[in-house]
Structures are given as C-alpha cells and as structure tokens.
Amino acid sequence: MEIKPLLPPVTVNGVTLDPGRIADEAQNHPAPHGKPGHAWKSAARALAVRELLLQQAKAAKLDADPTEIAPGQWETEDEAMIRQLLDQTLTPAAADETEMRAIYDAHPERFCAPSLFEAAHILFPAAPDDKEARALARKVAVDVLTQVTADPRRFAGLALKHSACPSKSNGGVLGQLSSGDTVPEFEATLASMEEGQFSLCESRYGIHIIRLDARANGAILPFETVLPQLAEAHDKAAWLRASRDYVDGLVSAADISGIDLKP
C-alpha cells in the first residue's frame, strides 16, 4: 500500500493553522487537472494571509464591528476586523483627473454607448457536453441555413418548425437587443454581422441561425460621462495594489513555515 507523505504543518508567527480548516478551504480553490496539491497550497496561502491580518488587527486592539454586506448577511467578526484594519492602514493613491483624461484620449473608442440590434434566430438545442447532439444540431442548422439563405421569406416558417426558443411563435424575432441581453457568444456573433446577414452561432444552448435585421452602433461617450467609471476602476486597482504591498510587507517581517508566501 502506497503511503502518502504528510503535509507539513503551516505556522504563522508561532500559530499553527488547523489542517481541517485548510482542507475545508481547499474546496473553494479549483485545482488544475493532475495537480491535487494546488488547491491545498492555495488554501494554505489564503488562510496564512488571513491569520497575519488578524494578528495585526488584534495587535492594534481593534474591536470587531460587523456590517451588513447583503440583506440579512453580516460579516463575521474576523472579516470585520480585517476590513477595519485595512481601512485604517491603507492609503491608496487618489485618482487624478489629468491621468483619467489621458487614458480616455488614448482610446476614446473604448468608451461607447451599447450598440443596439434587432435580430431573429432559430435555436437547435444541444447540451455543451453532448458532442453527438451538437454535431447533429449543427448538421440540421447548416441545412436550414441553406434554405433560408436561398429564400429568406421562409425564415419564420422554419423557426416555427425547428426552433426550441419561445420566440418561434413570433417568427424567431427577438426584438431590440443590447449588451448583456444575450449570452456572450451570441452577442459576439451579432457584433460581427451586417444588416440582412444570416450567420451560425454556437452557444451553451446549442446552435443558432441568427438573422440581423438592424443595428445602431453606440456613439462615443463624452469624457465627463465616463469619468466616474474611470475613477472607480482606478480606485479599485489602487486599493488592490496598496493591499498587496501591505501584505507583502507583513509576509517579509513574519515567521512563516510550511507554505511559501514570498511575493
């Protein structure tokens, strides 16, 4: 019988992490195929950092003041102490409007209102993991696509006959669509099409024949409109950088064994 080596105990400034907690936490860390130890290491790192932050919060004599993070859902005392510690300790770089303006001016095309589409489709259902069903759905879809390309007037009738979408009773018409109204695969296909064009699209639901009836490309938004969005993105990135630097400093000064936390 093969004897598996025991995992080393993980200690943070003399405090040994409970192996059971690491095992439980590992369930929240997906592991690449063939690397079962990856989840354990990720979990051990996460709990070691958590322990470091809690030690700092206790040294600062913080009293936990949990807040409601969602209706009926409150922070734990440990989560509250870590949040309070970071709120008191971190000083992220403030957003600078000149810098935001430079980002906007470099690529204004990135800041457009959502494009609008009017489209119809015929859905041939097939589960993503059913290769045989998807191959059959694609074969039927290609045949139907040939028919509607030859005679677009048949689209509504073929939608009623073949489509698994409730829109079939309306000739497959989906009405006006905007960003986020459909799955990303469908939306990407729409964005690549010209008005009046038919196209095949493969999504998590199966194979679609899409007909694009009209499109209105979103206009570039003025800087004043996107400034709050830019500032929010900057603030999130700045907070992440500041927290990473703070944790790196704690790690450098800590006595940690059993797991490598060095940046």
Side-chain angles (χ1 to χ4, degrees), residues 1-15:
M1 182 178 66
E2 180 184 1
I3 300 177
K4 296 182 179 180
L6 294 175
L7 296 171
V10 179
T11 63
V12 180
N13 292 327
V15 176

Side-chain angles (χ1 to χ4, degrees), residues 74-240:
W74 291 75
E75 293 176 316
T76 65
E77 290 196 356
D78 285 354
E79 289 169 343
M81 289 180 66
I82 290 173
R83 173 183 52 77
Q84 292 166 227
L85 171 70
L86 296 178
D87 286 345
Q88 291 184 13
T89 305
L90 302 186
T91 54
D96 178 78
E97 187 168 330
T98 302
E99 179 185 348
M100 302 296 99
R101 178 57 130 174
I103 294 173
Y104 174 85
D105 289 343
H107 297 283
E109 71 281 359
R110 294 180 180 174
F111 307 100
C112 292
S115 296
L116 299 177
F117 305 92
E118 291 184 6
H121 82 142
I122 302 173
L123 171 61
F124 304 85
D129 56 352
D130 191 336
K131 293 183 179 179
E132 184 176 346
R134 288 183 87 81
L136 178 60
R138 174 170 284 277
K139 182 177 183 297
V140 177
V142 169
D143 178 62
V144 174
L145 177 60
T146 301
Q147 296 178 55
V148 297
T149 302
D151 185 358
R153 293 171 299 179
R154 298 187 61 192
F155 190 94
L158 290 167
L160 184 60
K161 179 180 179 181
H162 293 282
S163 185
C165 178
S167 65
K168 69 180 183 179
S169 60
N170 193 34
V173 174
L174 296 170
Q176 190 174 83
L177 302 171
S178 182
S179 179
D181 288 343
T182 64
V183 293
E185 312 92 278
F186 196 101
E187 189 173 316
T189 302
L190 279 177
S192 68
M193 295 173 65
E194 299 296 332
E195 292 183 2
Q197 182 182 359
F198 296 100
S199 183
L200 279 185
C201 168
E202 185 169 339
S203 80
R204 67 199 70 176
Y205 299 112
I207 312 299
H208 308 255
I209 295 174
I210 302 176
R211 185 188 71 204
L212 180 59
D213 297 329
R215 68 183 298 158
N217 293 326
I220 294 176
L221 297 170
F223 173 69
E224 291 71 22
T225 301
V226 301
L227 178 57
Q229 172 191 341
L230 288 169
E232 180 182 5
H234 171 277
D235 290 345
K236 288 180 179 179
W239 191 92
L240 286 172

